Amino acid sequence: NISFPSEAQADFPVAMEVSEKFGVVYLITKFGYFHLYDVESGICIYMNRISADVIFTTAVHEASNGIIGVNRKGQVIIVAVDKTNIVPFITKQLQNVNLAVRFAARNPPTGNEELFV
């Protein structure tokens, strides 16, 4: 289930890329919103507007295991998972310890060792 902000109820996905390394789906919408979903659970980990203009093409950005896109103005946008901050973000901001543990288990811990004690 994809949720949209109240000011963007007519929005819809225009691009989707999967990061096998992190087990996430990067989703870009017509109105320039970025969504990050966990593949296993479908939980939205993060959402924010990254462009005021339509992002018309995307591809996997292999160097960062993220997504690269170009908007209508020609701006190049790269979005990627911050490996050192994603698990603490899921734990503290989303308050979802189960998801944080599953995410950390799929990705070798870097500062997340306290989840496995």
Side-chain angles (χ1 to χ4, degrees):
N1 192 10
I2 301 171
S3 61
F4 298 100
S6 59
E7 68 273 8
Q9 288 300 308
D11 202 5
F12 56 90
V14 294
M16 186 170 45
E17 303 289 344
V18 176
S19 169
E20 291 183 29
K21 177 178 180 175
F22 294 116
V24 295
V25 174
Y26 298 98
L27 185 138
I28 304 292
T29 71
K30 180 182 181 200
F31 294 167
Y33 284 88
F34 163 74
H35 298 238
L36 180 69
Y37 289 93
D38 176 62
V39 168
E40 288 182 3
S41 66
I43 293 172
C44 183
I45 297 171
Y46 185 76
M47 180 183 70
N48 202 355
R49 192 162 196 186
I50 59 171
S51 176
D53 296 295
V54 174
I55 298 172
F56 65 88
T57 187
T58 65
V60 172
H61 187 252
E62 291 182 19
S64 67
N65 288 295
I67 186 171
I68 185 169
V70 179
N71 71 11
R72 200 180 323 193
K73 287 186 177 177
Q75 295 171 314
V76 177
I77 300 164
I78 298 173
V79 182
V81 169
D82 181 347
K83 188 175 179 178
T84 47
N85 290 318
I86 187 80
V87 172
F89 178 85
I90 294 169
T91 304
K92 294 174 186 159
Q93 298 297 316
L94 301 181
Q95 298 182 349
N96 190 332
V97 175
N98 290 333
L99 177 59
V101 169
R102 287 194 315 270
F103 194 94
R106 286 194 311 256
N107 301 281
T110 53
N112 303 318
E113 292 82 3
E114 71 276 1
L115 291 172
F116 297 99
V117 176

